[in-house]
Each structure stands twice: as C-alpha cells, then as structure tokens.
Amino acid sequence: MARYLDVHPVDPQLRAIAQATQILRDGGLVAYPTDSCYAIGSSLDNRDGKERILALRGLDERHHFTLVCADFAQLGQLVHVDNATFRSIRAATPGCYTFILPATKEVPRRLLHPKKKTVGVRIPDHPVVKALLAEMGEPILSSTLLLPGETEPLTDGWEIKERLDHQLDAVIDSGECGAEPTTVVDFSDGAPEVVRVGAGDPARFA
C-alpha cells in the first residue's frame, strides 16, 4: 500500500517531505504535485524505477523521461546547452516546460532515448516539488501521471492513492494542482520545436 502524505501546498511540512525523500532513496515510486499536474518519480539510481513508470503508464522504451531539477546549475550538468538555447530556457524557467536536449555523461545510459541519446529536463515552480528536490539533493526521474487510455492526468491525491495503491509507494497530496502537462520543447537539433502544447505558453518558442 502507498503511504499517503498530506502536505501543505505553500509551506510543506519538512517531516512529510523527508519521509517522501526517504521512500525515493529506498527505491520507491512517488506521485507528487507540480505546477502543471501530478507526476510520478523515482531516484536516478533506482534501476527498477524506469521500468515501473513505463509499466504503470503503458509506455515503451522510446518514451522521453524527464529529469526534474532544482535549478539551472543542476540542469546544466545533465544536458548540453549552447548559448542561444541557454538564454531561451533560462527565460522560461522555472515553469511549466520540459526541454529535450542531448544528455551529458552524467545521465545513466538506461535513462536516455535509445536512438537520440536525449533526455527531458525541467525546473518546476511549485513549493512541494521544490522542497522535495532540495531534500533529495539531486534530480528526480519523472513522467506525467497519465494512465493508459486516459486523456486527462490524475489531479486528486486521494483518487491517485485509491486507484494506484499497489503500484506506488507514496502519494504526496497538497490539494488541487494543474490538470495540464508541461509544454515540451525539443532543442535536440538546435532550433526549438514545440512537440507538445501544454500548460506553458508555446508562443515564446514559436
């Protein structure tokens, strides 16, 4: 059964955040709120985390995973960013965007897109996930909590707990968050290409 953690949306309790962090470090899968919608995440060194997320979401190996980062310094260690791309991404973060970029050697090969050797990165703007990232001290491997055959992500923490009780290890509930995934911008070929329109305004990358 998944641990249910009721967390304040603006001033998250450190004890609950520490419990969620320990579950991640122990190899658990955690559902957590972001500024766009709920995500599911695992630690980067959890070798089962990727497969559990793929199974839960009904995805194949070509899915682009996202490394959720605390800040730009952390993001810059994971992906190659030229000056023009740096300025574009910097202006849009933190926010509801995921950026696809060539990965550095800091990213385990098993987390990369198998052909492109790219990975998604984002810096969210939500007090709960920011507290979780600060406590972790490293990025979280994540994916939108969108179940197979459904068009809308799950948005209610208690519903997530009820529906996915045996597939998750913890659910962080801080009330309603967004119901729309991030806007995804692919910079892997240099110029920005909006590949999914979501919560972030795509016009700045048009």
Side-chain angles (χ1 to χ4, degrees):
M1 289 178 57
R3 178 90 59 88
Y4 180 77
L5 300 168
D6 191 5
V7 175
H8 194 279
V10 178
D11 188 19
Q13 302 92 318
L14 291 180
R15 183 169 175 270
I17 294 297
Q19 288 177 330
T21 302
Q22 193 58 51
I23 289 168
L24 285 168
R25 289 183 178 139
D26 289 342
L29 203 61
V30 175
Y32 64 92
T34 76
D35 47 342
S36 57
C37 60
Y38 263 88
I40 37 177
S42 76
S43 69
L44 293 188
D45 58 1
N46 178 358
R47 300 196 69 86
D48 295 328
K50 172 185 172 181
E51 302 307 323
R52 288 181 67 189
I53 293 171
L54 289 175
L56 191 151
R57 288 207 51 201
L59 299 168
D60 63 27
E61 293 289 332
R62 292 167 297 182
H63 174 67
H64 257 117
F65 277 90
T66 298
L67 305 181
V68 177
C69 303
D71 52 34
F72 214 93
Q74 206 172 64
L75 182 149
Q77 295 176 342
L78 303 170
V79 289
H80 297 287
V81 185
D82 62 30
N83 288 336
T85 303
F86 174 90
R87 288 191 293 272
S88 294
I89 294 177
R90 191 66 183 259
T93 55
C96 301
Y97 297 93
T98 298
F99 304 101
I100 297 173
L101 288 153
T104 67
K105 294 189 184 303
E106 296 293 315
V107 182
R109 287 180 62 86
R110 60 190 166 80
L111 303 183
L112 305 181
H113 187 281
K115 288 187 177 178
K116 299 180 180 180
K117 307 307 180 197
T118 49
V119 72
V121 286
R122 75 167 297 215
I123 301 172
D125 190 17
H126 188 289
V128 172
V129 65
K130 285 173 24 175
L132 192 62
L133 288 163
E135 183 73 15
M136 278 291 287
E138 63 180 42
I140 298 171
L141 176 71
S142 291
S143 184
T144 303
L145 185 39
L146 182 63
L147 297 180
E150 300 191 9
T151 57
E152 299 288 332
L154 296 179
T155 59
D156 179 79
W158 189 250
E159 182 189 358
I160 294 168
K161 157 78 170 160
E162 286 190 331
R163 292 184 62 181
L164 302 175
D165 206 19
H166 299 290
Q167 293 170 273
L168 297 171
D169 299 289
V171 176
I172 301 175
D173 189 352
S174 62
E176 285 288 320
C177 66
E180 199 172 8
T182 56
T183 291
V184 179
V185 186
D186 190 341
F187 275 100
S188 56
D189 292 325
E193 178 189 357
V194 177
V195 295
R196 182 179 75 191
V197 176
D201 182 4
R204 65 165 66 234
F205 297 103

